[in-house]
Amino acid sequence: MGSITGDMEAQTDYTCTVYRGTFIQTILSDSGSKPELSCNQGALWVSAADGRIKGWDWQANNDHGFAELMTRNGWVDIDDIGAQGQVDSHDSKTRVRIVIASEEQNEFFFPGFIDTHIHAPQYPNVGLFGSSTLLDWLETYTFPVESRFGSPPDPKTGHQTQTDPKDAPLLAQQIYDQVISRTLSHGTTCASYYATNHVPATNALSSLCHTRGQRAFIGRACMDNPKFCVDYYHDFSAEDSIVATRQTIEYIHTLDPEGNLVKPIVTPRFAPSCTRLALQNLGELAASYSPPLHVQTHISENVNELALVKELFPEADSYAAVYDKYKLLTPRTILAHAVHLSADERALIRAREAKISHCPASNSALGSGICPVRTLLDEGITVGLGTDVSGGYSPSILEAARQACLASRLLGQSAAWQRDHSQSVDGKGSDGREKLSVPESLYLATRGGAAVVDMANDLGGFDKGMLWDVQLIRLGGVKLGKKSPLDFVPGDGNADLVKTGPVGNVDLFGTESWEEKIQKWVWSGDDRNVKALWVGGRLVHSRV
Amino acid sequence: MGSITGDMEAQTDYTCTVYRGTFIQTILSDSGSKPELSCNQGALWVSAADGRIKGWDWQANNDHGFAELMTRNGWVDIDDIGAQGQVDSHDSKTRVRIVIASEEQNEFFFPGFIDTHIHAPQYPNVGLFGSSTLLDWLETYTFPVESRFGSPPDPKTGHQTQTDPKDAPLLAQQIYDQVISRTLSHGTTCASYYATNHVPATNALSSLCHTRGQRAFIGRACMDNPKFCVDYYHDFSAEDSIVATRQTIEYIHTLDPEGNLVKPIVTPRFAPSCTRLALQNLGELAASYSPPLHVQTHISENVNELALVKELFPEADSYAAVYDKYKLLTPRTILAHAVHLSADERALIRAREAKISHCPASNSALGSGICPVRTLLDEGITVGLGTDVSGGYSPSILEAARQACLASRLLGQSAAWQRDHSQSVDGKGSDGREKLSVPESLYLATRGGAAVVDMANDLGGFDKGMLWDVQLIRLGGVKLGKKSPLDFVPGDGNADLVKTGPVGNVDLFGTESWEEKIQKWVWSGDDRNVKALWVGGRLVHSRV
């Protein structure tokens, strides 16, 4: 039986990896509307060639059933071959690797998290925002740190003309590397990244994701409106926006021609930071590829921002209509935040099949408000979760799931929600439908995010043919001794339960159902519980 | 220079411990109203006899200044004596222990956290509440787990007559021990605990806190109204409530006659679970001691609860008036939650000098609402923080501080706040004053909590004479190498920054001011950052 760390290096002497243990995912119930948790025990196998799920056997949930599975398929464990020197006798059999989730340690496989909105260069500012709101936070904290990702200009022309990742400042490379380390450690197998507007640094982020093995969409932030950018950090012109964006797209298409792991995403920062010409050119640029490129931007995060957009684009009926006019509302568009959308905007977004990235930690931290996720879902809009680092203070999608639950539980008491739902509001403020359950927030974190990045058939669950983008979660064992703690003697290291039982902050007492274990994971878990992480079948992170 | 772990055992061969490094606390600014952070570097000394701060020297912030301090006081480091065998030559000098916070590892001393409201027996339910609100959550999750803390009844009388902690079920002892381990690991030096209504288990909690060295108030939960308790878990009568409560008070007074570490606290669960007679007797019981005993209960957490109290106590003008009638609103009373108080109730609470425990994680998780902390503070009411485990999903006061900030940033958009502040509300929903800053939330977690438990002169800061109830926080070092991560080769263990630099989730890049380091700690920190914890000068928790 193989250790999980063995396949950090590429190994191709086996046909597939057989994962054995407990598999938990979110699924839609029979009625098709309400996400639920699903738990299976047994074996599931993933092709070494393409990293996709080829099948499973929930009868193989004990040693006998597992042995039958191995025999039926003519499989032999490569570790058995090595240990017993029986290579010859197994020549006719198919070699497989076996990875086991420990039942005693309460381990289970869970789909990897998808972060549909994260600003990689803002990572050094995580936790720094004082009491500011969106627009002053951008000027005080965000633009200064992002501007440091620029390379020195060409001495002859005074312009940035480099595209080589190695031309990015070393600190920028290191910050991007650390963002990838951190998001992987929290279980993020796929992220849609905002970079800065600098080509070498953006290409460095692409290269690092590709090398480290994280699935990623990489967006060079376009921002050519000098009136609403700071003077030390903006594109020189609408043309510059397009030329530089093309350079990052070409770099990524050369790096990963099939787009197996890393893809470009067209990224107008947000409407106020772009001229009309840039918005138009970016919409045309995305549409000029086949299939069309993904698009990401911000929408309706903050009430001051709404007023600004109205002032800047008086010809548009709404914030969403600005993007629609420039062909930026597409089935492959990720709209971050969407806290204050009107009913008309929601109808337009749904008609265009654009997707929404819900970023609750950021919306609460910046005081932007509470996104009415239930309304979006009821109206058939696709929603995933985003960390929005560093408006969000955490690179963890588990934290985003937790905050999605918390914010939804305060939503019924918000003035905006009560105004919009006056018919269903009783004296208590709401009918409670707006609350997101733990299974729902986990659905948003996995299958929801997969749909947001237009990969609903590839990611987010254990469906046949899906990519093995998966976390191995370890909650730790139950360690209740026979000894009374009242017999404790100071200094004898009594606190065994903390030290040798639980992992991180999750405490199990042996009475929990597996649904309750999942609830404890969501409310008390952290990166310590991510024992291993695979992307496309490749191990990209592990923790002893 | 001594290691921090050396004093887990009692050592009395030194006069005081000299702490050296960075000391950060919250203080009130000159105007006296707005908490700020204060940072000093140098040395501070604590008497080994009583665990209280005797003095400090901020000039001793380098080796030269520190040597001068030692010489001036005639101090000698006990570790130097041992190492150099110079006992004789130092006979005339005063022996001291030295504990150093590492500058390179971004370590600093910070006052211990005070958890002003935590239900110890509910700890196994942390993270389990589905989407319920207060009253159904009590019946579904809380009462079943609490009822398991009972001892078998006396076979002759059918009543519980035991008082010995050892008569508590082993599982109850273990859960209580684990609660203490967990709260210590998160930096809680003092906690006001709700126990259950069982005497042996409540006494076990007292004994365990005393042995493990956590400062604690221990309250046997009184609940004698069978109509609003479940049939399998309540006091038999008002008299039973008083008799059993007296038994726990006597046990604690025998265990800790001076009340140096553990004290009883009179605990009517909340008004609906008690008869009028029990409330009256409990108020008289608290007042019968000199000084009067502390009191803790719940108030105004949830709108359904408000309606219930109004129905049960039609003679009272308000929820607060119920407690006041029975002499339970005292300067030593902790009122948990206080989410929906009227202006009259706030005035009454202020007049009685009762204190409030703000439990933001719980209030958000149970959808109870957002406590208007700014209003309470503006009106001169004393506020501290509580985890409210397991209505709150975390035993960490750092998490409570974070949630206090987050909830306050959503407060301006709540219907209740806008209704009460219609004059100061503009189109954006609020003037922003309601937001709690990081220094303010840390003030609530330390000095605020100290005032709530009526120990403002003893706990919460580094004032002369205060008890050394302190955390040593370690954020970790900055580890930015010279090597480009673009030269990464899969499998070579490149992710050094995560593995050898930061501690937990706090990442420092070397550019942060100490105020920014504190912000990063509050937003990204966890128990991994608590390197050591002292209560009254005694080391009660440490982490390698």
Side-chain angles (χ1 to χ4, degrees), chain A residues 482-516:
Chain A
K482 300 280 180 209
K483 193 178 159 191
S484 165
L486 291 165
D487 298 327
F488 171 72
V489 178
D492 79 348
N494 170 279
D496 279 346
L497 189 55
V498 167
K499 285 179 186 157
T500 61
V503 175
N505 277 319
V506 178
D507 273 315
L508 299 179
F509 291 87
T511 54
E512 297 85 356
S513 66
W514 64 263
E515 288 95 340
E516 290 178 329

Side-chain angles (χ1 to χ4, degrees), chain B residues 26 108 110-116 183-192 214-215 385 387 395-402 438 441-447 449-450 453 459-461 469-471 473 518 521-522 525-527 529-530 533-535:
Chain B
T26 60
F108 58 91
F110 194 86
F113 288 140
I114 296 168
D115 187 346
T116 57
T183 51
L184 290 176
S185 75
H186 286 281
T188 298
T189 46
C190 175
S192 187
Q214 186 175 50
R215 195 175 304 287
L385 295 183
T387 60
S396 161
I397 284 290
L398 191 69
E399 174 73 13
R402 197 152 47 218
V438 163
S441 70
L442 289 174
Y443 184 91
L444 297 181
T446 53
R447 290 190 191 262
V453 299
L459 305 176
D469 284 24
V470 169
Q471 319 176 51
I473 301 297
I518 293 290
W521 170 48
V522 169
D526 59 34
D527 52 312
N529 301 109
V530 182
L533 192 75
W534 296 267
V535 173

Side-chain angles (χ1 to χ4, degrees), chain A residues 76 106 110 122 178 243 280 309 421 428 432 444 448 499 540:
Chain A
V76 60
N106 288 291
F110 194 86
Q122 296 175 17
Q178 181 68 350
V243 170
Q280 179 167 339
V309 172
H421 296 76
K428 298 159 207 164
L444 297 181
K499 285 179 186 157
V540 295

Side-chain angles (χ1 to χ4, degrees), chain A residues 308-345:
Chain A
L308 179 62
V309 172
K310 199 166 184 175
E311 184 191 324
L312 290 175
F313 298 90
E315 74 278 16
D317 287 341
S318 69
Y319 198 160
V322 174
Y323 292 132
D324 191 47
K325 179 177 179 183
Y326 299 111
K327 310 276 186 261
L328 290 161
L329 279 194
T330 80
R332 309 186 96 191
T333 294
I334 305 172
L335 299 166
H337 300 298
V339 176
H340 307 281
L341 292 178
S342 68
D344 285 349
E345 287 180 295

Side-chain angles (χ1 to χ4, degrees), chain B residues 22-45:
Chain B
T22 300
F23 298 78
I24 301 179
Q25 61 179 325
T26 60
I27 55 167
L28 291 180
S29 64
D30 293 339
S31 69
S33 63
K34 184 87 174 165
E36 291 173 0
L37 292 170
S38 151
C39 178
N40 290 105
Q41 289 180 313
L44 177 153
W45 47 99

Side-chain angles (χ1 to χ4, degrees), chain A residues 123 166 173-174 481 484 487 507, chain B residues 123 173-174 481 484 487 507:
Chain A
Y123 182 68
K166 285 263 185 174
Q173 299 174 35
Q174 290 173 323
S484 165
D487 298 327
D507 273 315
Chain B
Y123 183 69
Q173 299 175 35
Q174 290 174 323
S484 165
D487 298 327
D507 273 315

